[in-house]
Amino acid sequence: MKRLLLVIATLLSLTVLLAACKKSDDTSSAATNPGSTPAQVEATPAPTELPPYEANVLTGEPKGADYPEGQRITAVMVNNIVAARPQRGLSKADILFEIKVEGGITRFMPVFTDYKTIGEIGPVRSGRDQFFRLILPWQALYIHEGQSVVMQQYGIDYDYGKLNNNDGANGYRDYGRVNWAGKSYNAGTLALEHTMYTNSDNIANYITSQNVDMNRTYNSTFFNFVDYRLGTTRDLSSSIDSAYSDKYGPVVSDGQYVEIVHSQSYKTRFIYDEATNQYKMQQNYSDGQWRDTVDEAADNKVLTFPNVIVLYTDIHTYPGHEAKDLQYVEYAWGGIGYYCYGGKCEKIYWQKGTPLEALRLYYLNEDGTCSDTPLEINTGKSYVAVTDVDFAENFVHSTLDNVDLTTATTQTYEKSYEEDTAKAGETLGSSTDDLTAAATGSGEAETVTEAPAQETTANETPAQEEAPVEEAPAEEAPAEETPVENTEAPAEENNVG
């Protein structure tokens, strides 16, 4: 049972109780004889005052001269089905989220402090509520192409308006893009849904033309970052709970190699580089091989992060949405997780609560329970995985000496399902609160019995694009670029939203 694997915390205080010891104001005075010379007392140097705390909301680093003060953060949904790789624009993200969606696949949500620095990004894909609920408290501009009916209902319930953009911010097609396997839409071997991109100029034009309110002042950072003004980093080896152990072993242990299982076939791993103090990101592919996760728009730069955060919770299909396999992610319970930095991994607890409550991370108590002390995250970019608790036992963190990095692993594939695309004005017929209440606690361990789907072959017709909720991008495929018709049905790529 998933519930037995989760720690269901009651109301945790989000405030650290700081007890300060204060000396008495009484002072002892020595009697002096008339005419005697008083003893000389050296003045105690006044403590050095720190400058005001002015940190980047997503990284905790000091704001630079070009920091977009008073501007909303921006999040973009990016396709991560194998056929969509390599992506563009991910290396610019300050936080990169990866969460499971339909068919066992995962999707990315890069989050940026400043939309003007994104450059080109994509392939842009449809919005899902498990991502939206993470940025809802921060009122981010949320960019995607199309959205599920649940996501559309969230936008309605929380009056998100034009901050919920579902046409890729007037995105455009790159029909000639070639994926990692040499497939392209122009050649008739790549589905149209893997060709939508947008960029900073398009986003800026959308904001200007639609008069989107991008003004937002944040009075806290996304995580509880180590104070950059102190010039220190937190060494997990000497963490406040580094001496603790629980039934699974030490709370802090080796993490030079980190492997995360999202579903039976989708995996992500990180390899620590001591020279740069960064984790290099890799993903499993449909041929069973691991490959670097790169940014095609940045000369195939490999994605690296100093912070890797893995959060486990109950993930299962929304009741009544089984045909479309819409995934419900339980945020209200909180649960266990891991924070990896500097070649070490530390077991943690996390909480979120209601959709309007921000994600919070906590240290453990000595007895292995969730403490009231917010976890300190070192400054810099972060990768965050929200992962099904069914796979918590599959989490691997070890030294690099214990791993053969050349070994092939599970073949990556997608399950078959009917794509969910909300029509303009479509609603659930109930609130998201009611839907969540029905979904809470109804999940069972995931099982997959079908054989892996085969990738689309060179002679197969690409899948047709899903219809976005609002007006589709103006640009259409030129007639001469339309792939040759074929009666053979494409592989499962056409089902992936």
Side-chain angles (χ1 to χ4, degrees):
M1 292 281 297
K2 295 185 181 183
R3 284 176 181 257
L4 297 178
L5 297 175
L6 296 171
V7 174
I8 306 175
T10 55
L11 297 175
L12 288 177
S13 168
L14 298 181
T15 307
V16 183
L17 301 178
L18 299 177
C21 294
K22 214 174 185 182
K23 289 187 178 180
S24 168
D25 289 335
D26 293 340
T27 56
S28 57
S29 55
T32 56
N33 294 325
S36 66
T37 304
Q40 297 296 315
V41 179
E42 291 188 11
T44 302
T48 303
E49 285 193 12
L50 293 174
Y53 182 71
E54 297 180 347
N56 181 306
V57 65
L58 297 179
T59 68
E61 297 168 319
K63 297 176 180 177
D66 56 351
Y67 187 82
E69 196 67 60
Q71 178 183 291
R72 294 180 191 274
I73 60 177
T74 297
V76 184
M77 292 304 301
V78 175
N79 203 344
N80 189 40
I81 186 174
V82 176
R85 303 171 187 169
Q87 296 90 346
R88 300 174 189 169
L90 297 181
S91 66
K92 300 285 186 67
D94 293 312
I95 302 178
L96 180 65
F97 289 95
E98 183 177 7
I99 311 175
K100 184 174 67 170
V101 290
E102 301 83 19
I105 70 170
T106 64
R107 190 160 295 170
F108 289 141
M109 183 179 70
V111 187
F112 306 87
T113 305
D114 187 1
Y115 68 89
K116 300 184 189 71
T117 66
I118 294 174
E120 187 176 33
I121 188 164
V124 180
R125 210 59 178 104
S126 52
R128 294 293 182 264
D129 68 281
Q130 57 264 53
F131 295 91
F132 176 70
R133 285 183 282 154
L134 291 170
I135 58 168
L136 175 60
W138 302 90
Q139 296 289 290
L141 174 62
Y142 185 46
I143 297 173
H144 45 92
E145 185 205 8
Q147 57 191 345
S148 71
V149 67
V150 178
M151 174 58 230
Q152 181 155 289
Q153 188 67 50
Y154 266 98
I156 295 170
D157 287 359
Y158 289 92
D159 195 24
Y160 220 64
K162 293 178 180 178
L163 289 175
N164 181 31
N165 174 269
N166 61 359
D167 69 349
N170 303 314
Y172 52 88
R173 298 287 176 193
D174 182 353
Y175 301 109
R177 68 78 49 106
V178 178
N179 75 356
W180 68 277
K183 298 180 179 182
S184 72
Y185 180 81
N186 280 346
T189 55
L190 186 65
L192 186 63
E193 63 218 40
H194 308 317
T195 63
M196 172 64 78
Y197 294 86
T198 193
N199 58 37
S200 293
D201 290 340
N202 285 59
I203 297 170
N205 289 338
Y206 167 74
I207 292 169
T208 301
S209 65
Q210 299 299 313
N211 195 26
V212 179
D213 182 8
M214 287 297 287
N215 295 314
R216 186 79 181 181
T217 299
Y218 298 108
N219 57 15
S220 63
T221 51
F222 199 95
F223 296 120
N224 178 42
F225 290 105
V226 172
D227 192 335
Y228 69 84
R229 298 173 299 176
L230 303 178
T232 60
T233 57
R234 188 167 72 84
D235 183 358
L236 270 60
S237 298
S238 57
S239 165
I240 62 172
D241 55 7
S242 60
Y244 302 165
S245 292
D246 62 14
K247 62 181 180 180
Y248 300 107
V251 170
V252 178
S253 52
D254 291 317
Q256 295 175 329
Y257 176 86
V258 175
E259 183 174 317
I260 304 160
V261 177
H262 302 277
S263 69
Q264 280 79 1
S265 64
Y266 265 64
K267 296 182 179 180
T268 306
R269 74 180 186 183
F270 292 88
I271 301 167
Y272 179 65
D273 180 3
E274 188 174 4
T276 61
N277 195 34
Q278 299 272 335
Y279 282 94
K280 180 176 74 171
M281 182 175 178
Q282 295 186 332
Q283 291 180 285
N284 192 219
Y285 276 66
S286 52
D287 58 0
Q289 301 299 314
W290 290 99
R291 290 181 175 84
D292 291 342
T293 303
V294 300
D295 184 346
E296 190 178 42
D299 296 325
N300 290 319
K301 177 182 179 181
V302 179
L303 269 59
T304 60
F305 303 88
N307 299 312
V308 173
I309 300 168
V310 187
L311 309 177
Y312 286 101
T313 192
D314 181 15
I315 302 179
H316 60 83
T317 306
Y318 272 109
H321 296 267
E322 288 81 6
K324 299 177 181 180
D325 198 31
L326 279 180
Q327 297 292 292
Y328 167 70
V329 177
E330 177 61 75
Y331 287 130
W333 292 351
I336 62 167
Y338 291 88
Y339 169 48
C340 302
Y341 177 88
K344 295 288 182 180
C345 286
E346 175 178 37
K347 187 172 291 184
I348 64 173
Y349 274 95
W350 65 272
Q351 275 205 329
K352 186 183 185 317
T354 69
L356 287 173
E357 291 181 79
L359 177 67
R360 293 288 182 259
L361 311 180
Y362 294 91
Y363 289 104
L364 271 65
N365 286 318
E366 191 167 1
D367 61 1
T369 59
C370 184
S371 77
D372 291 334
T373 307
L375 185 80
E376 282 191 306
I377 299 294
N378 286 308
T379 60
K381 296 185 176 186
S382 301
Y383 164 92
V384 181
V386 180
T387 308
D388 199 327
V389 73
D390 283 346
F391 302 106
E393 293 182 356
N394 299 96
F395 179 69
V396 176
H397 59 106
S398 67
T399 64
L400 285 171
D401 294 338
N402 298 333
V403 181
D404 181 0
L405 296 177
T406 64
T407 301
T409 184
T410 306
Q411 181 181 356
T412 294
Y413 64 94
E414 297 81 42
K415 295 184 293 182
S416 178
Y417 62 94
E418 178 186 353
E419 167 62 16
D420 180 81
T421 303
K423 299 177 177 62
E426 182 180 2
T427 66
L428 284 169
S430 65
S431 71
T432 50
D433 285 344
D434 291 339
L435 182 67
T436 298
T440 300
S442 63
E444 297 297 336
E446 179 182 3
T447 58
V448 173
T449 57
E450 61 267 39
Q454 299 301 311
E455 286 208 310
T456 307
T457 63
N459 293 324
E460 292 175 337
T461 305
Q464 292 303 306
E465 174 189 17
E466 67 179 49
V469 176
E470 295 182 355
E471 183 180 354
E475 184 180 3
E476 297 294 340
E480 65 271 20
E481 293 181 345
T482 304
V484 177
E485 290 291 329
N486 190 293
T487 57
E488 185 178 1
E492 302 304 333
E493 289 179 2
N494 64 323
N495 290 327
V496 179

